[in-house]
């Protein structure tokens, strides 16, 4: 057994409060229990093993990626276990906990100012340029993981997350909903479930300021108003992975202040500590349950562990600065 074999096959957790609230059975796929504490371990493993299979990555080679953090952590743990080097390009606004984990894993960490995707200095463009240079010059070879465009990301969820959800619900799943960072999870899971259950209903839970709500609801690539403190989600453009999604049945644009209380209640009443994107997902699952009606089985994704955000959504000062509700037990 090695650590890589512990990626995936995560439990499906019954979410009591929101199930009772909606008279549906709402389950969360516990991706925060992956070894890197997030859903992105699956994408990292798929991208690396497919590159190996194609012969693009050989022992001692380097993997370059632009990431909000979790993909980098997933890549680093798989790479360390397999003998590759890692270069991570990350916006400097991500949580200190993610930087610390990447540093602990021994990656080369390149922090860049957070600028919009339209700016050539956006971390994703910087990562591509560094990867192109590395591919040209590294004698041991290199790859650009390229999670937004690389369909191996989506395939991780088509071949693992989707089948696990179907079997863990005994084929009884009626609805699936999640947010979009790259869209790998939504695209891969929804494609698999649609193939196996023609009446499955697919939802998207989009944070404020992202463009996927308008894209799937109104066929316009336009950001919703407002913004979100959630990390790892909120896509502003249509990528090859998004193009793979042929239809979304229910679209929701979700405010942080309408979502965070779900994860605080999960901490206090159900013993689960999650990050902010899981809050958006659970709020989406509640909306989907209400719209589909009582008695349905709805699944969403519990994307990453809350320990990644102790200095943010579990910190009174941060919440006060952002004018967000502060849970009682975090007040002092
Ligand atoms: N939540 C978190 C915390 C993430 O880091 C990511 C990935 N960036 C997602 C959700 C979204 O996953 P995907 O890239 O598969 O859309």
């Amino acid at each position: 057994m090695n650590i890589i074999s512990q990626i995936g096959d995560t439990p499906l957790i019954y979410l009591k409060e929101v199930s009772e609230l909606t008279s549906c059975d709402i389950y969360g796929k516990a991706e925060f229990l992956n070894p890197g504490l997030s859903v992105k371990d699956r994408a990292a493993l798929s991208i690396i093993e497919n590159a190996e299979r194609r012969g693009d990555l050989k022992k001692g080679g380097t993997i370059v990626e632009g990431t909000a953090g979790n993909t980098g952590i997933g890549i680093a743990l798989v790479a360390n276990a397999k003998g590759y080097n890692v270069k991570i390009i990350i916006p400097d606004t991500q949580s200190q906990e993610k930087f610390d984990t990447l540093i602990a894993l021994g990656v080369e960490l390149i922090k860049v100012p957070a600028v919009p995707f339209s700016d050539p200095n956006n971390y994703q463009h910087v990562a591509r340029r560094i990867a192109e240079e590395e591919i040209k010059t590294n004698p041991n070879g290199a790859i650009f993981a390229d999670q937004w465009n690389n369909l191996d990301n989506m395939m991780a969820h088509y071949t693992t997350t989707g089948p696990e959800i179907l079997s863990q619900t005994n084929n009884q799943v009626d609805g699936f909903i999640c947010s979009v960072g790259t869209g790998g999870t939504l695209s891969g899971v929804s494609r698999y479930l649609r193939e196996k259950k023609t009446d499955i209903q697919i939802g998207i839970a989009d944070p404020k300021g992202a463009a996927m709500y308008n894209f799937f609801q109104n066929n316009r690539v336009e950001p919703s108003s407002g913004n979100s403190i959630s990390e790892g989600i909120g896509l502003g453009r249509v990528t090859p992975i998004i193009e793979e999604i042929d239809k979304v049945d229910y679209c929701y644009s979700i405010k942080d202040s309408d979502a965070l209380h779900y994860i605080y209640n999960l901490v206090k009443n159900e013993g689960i500590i999650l990050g902010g994107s899981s809050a958006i997902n659970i709020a989406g699952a509640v909306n989907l349950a209400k719209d589909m009606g009582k008695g349905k089985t709805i699944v969403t994704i519990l994307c990453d562990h809350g320990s990644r955000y102790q200095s943010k959504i579990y910190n009174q000062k941060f919440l006060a600065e952002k004018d967000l509700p502060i849970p009682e037990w975090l007040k002092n």
Side-chain angles (χ1 to χ4, degrees):
M1 203 270 278
N2 67 24
I3 198 69
I4 291 171
S5 67
Q6 298 305 300
I7 295 175
D9 266 330
T10 53
L12 194 63
I13 298 180
Y14 179 71
L15 303 179
K16 186 165 175 286
E17 178 204 353
V18 287
S19 295
E20 288 173 0
L21 178 74
T22 56
S23 303
C24 283
D25 287 329
I26 300 181
Y27 293 91
K29 189 83 171 119
E31 295 304 296
F32 64 99
L33 295 178
N34 278 303
L37 309 186
S38 95
V39 66
K40 298 304 302 205
D41 286 7
R42 295 184 193 254
L45 182 60
S46 171
I47 287 170
I48 290 174
E49 292 202 329
N50 280 300
E52 286 174 333
R53 222 164 277 142
R54 285 191 284 265
D56 296 340
L57 191 57
K58 303 194 184 62
K59 267 236 166 331
T62 295
I63 303 160
V64 181
E65 183 60 322
T67 162
N70 282 327
T71 304
I73 292 165
I75 287 176
L77 76 90
V78 174
N80 287 2
K82 284 175 174 278
Y84 303 117
N85 303 306
V86 179
K87 270 192 193 183
I88 294 298
I89 297 85
I90 190 167
D92 59 8
T93 45
Q94 300 307 289
S95 77
Q96 187 60 40
E97 290 85 339
K98 287 181 185 159
F99 300 144
D100 291 343
T101 306
L102 286 161
I103 290 164
L105 280 161
V107 308
E108 185 179 332
L109 190 62
I110 303 164
K111 283 193 212 169
V112 297
V115 294
F117 185 77
S118 54
D119 187 317
N121 290 323
N122 173 276
Y123 71 109
Q124 295 178 40
H125 306 308
V126 176
R128 178 177 297 281
R129 290 197 293 273
I130 290 176
E132 281 166 0
E133 190 57 28
E134 195 74 30
I135 290 165
K136 267 193 244 151
T137 57
N138 189 320
N140 294 321
I143 62 160
F144 182 32
D146 200 12
Q147 57 177 326
W148 280 272
N149 301 299
N150 188 338
L151 297 185
D152 295 335
N153 166 10
M154 174 195 79
M155 289 310 288
H157 300 286
Y158 178 81
T159 57
T160 69
T161 324
E164 288 167 29
I165 290 171
L166 194 66
S167 96
Q168 286 170 315
T169 55
N170 296 319
N171 289 14
Q172 300 304 306
V173 57
D174 299 302
F176 174 78
I177 183 161
C178 69
S179 50
V180 164
T182 61
T185 314
L186 184 66
S187 179
V189 171
S190 66
R191 180 200 276 215
Y192 180 83
L193 292 178
R194 280 212 199 277
E195 275 176 25
K196 300 293 167 187
K197 289 204 75 162
T198 47
D199 58 347
I200 187 84
Q201 299 295 298
I202 300 297
I204 180 169
D206 212 29
K208 289 291 171 187
M212 293 297 101
Y213 171 79
N214 276 326
F215 178 62
F216 287 109
Q217 179 76 14
N218 305 317
N219 206 17
R220 284 198 320 262
V221 188
E222 197 174 285
S224 56
S225 61
N227 52 39
S228 171
I229 50 97
S230 58
E231 293 182 24
I233 58 172
L235 186 60
R237 64 189 193 280
V238 176
T239 60
I241 290 177
I242 296 300
E243 279 167 359
E244 291 288 320
I245 303 172
D246 47 33
K247 186 171 152 223
V248 170
D249 306 291
Y250 292 88
C251 303
Y252 306 103
S253 174
I254 292 171
K255 273 199 226 151
D256 290 343
S257 55
D258 291 337
L260 284 168
H261 60 95
Y262 290 119
I263 58 168
Y264 294 136
N265 289 351
L266 276 177
V267 173
K268 205 59 181 159
N269 304 326
E270 299 179 51
I272 304 169
I273 307 181
L274 299 169
S277 64
S278 301
I280 301 288
N281 284 357
I282 295 168
V286 168
N287 287 342
L288 181 61
K290 286 182 179 162
D291 286 344
M292 286 182 68
K294 292 182 179 173
K296 302 291 187 202
T297 296
I298 311 274
V299 175
T300 191
I301 303 287
L302 309 180
C303 314
D304 71 350
H305 196 277
S307 58
R308 293 262 137 92
Y309 310 98
Q310 264 156 337
S311 62
K312 290 194 163 181
I313 56 176
Y314 295 100
N315 179 292
Q316 176 178 7
K317 194 163 158 265
F318 175 86
L319 291 170
E321 275 166 17
K322 300 282 174 193
D323 215 8
L324 287 165
I326 304 170
E328 272 313 308
W329 65 94
L330 292 181
K331 290 183 186 164
N332 56 36

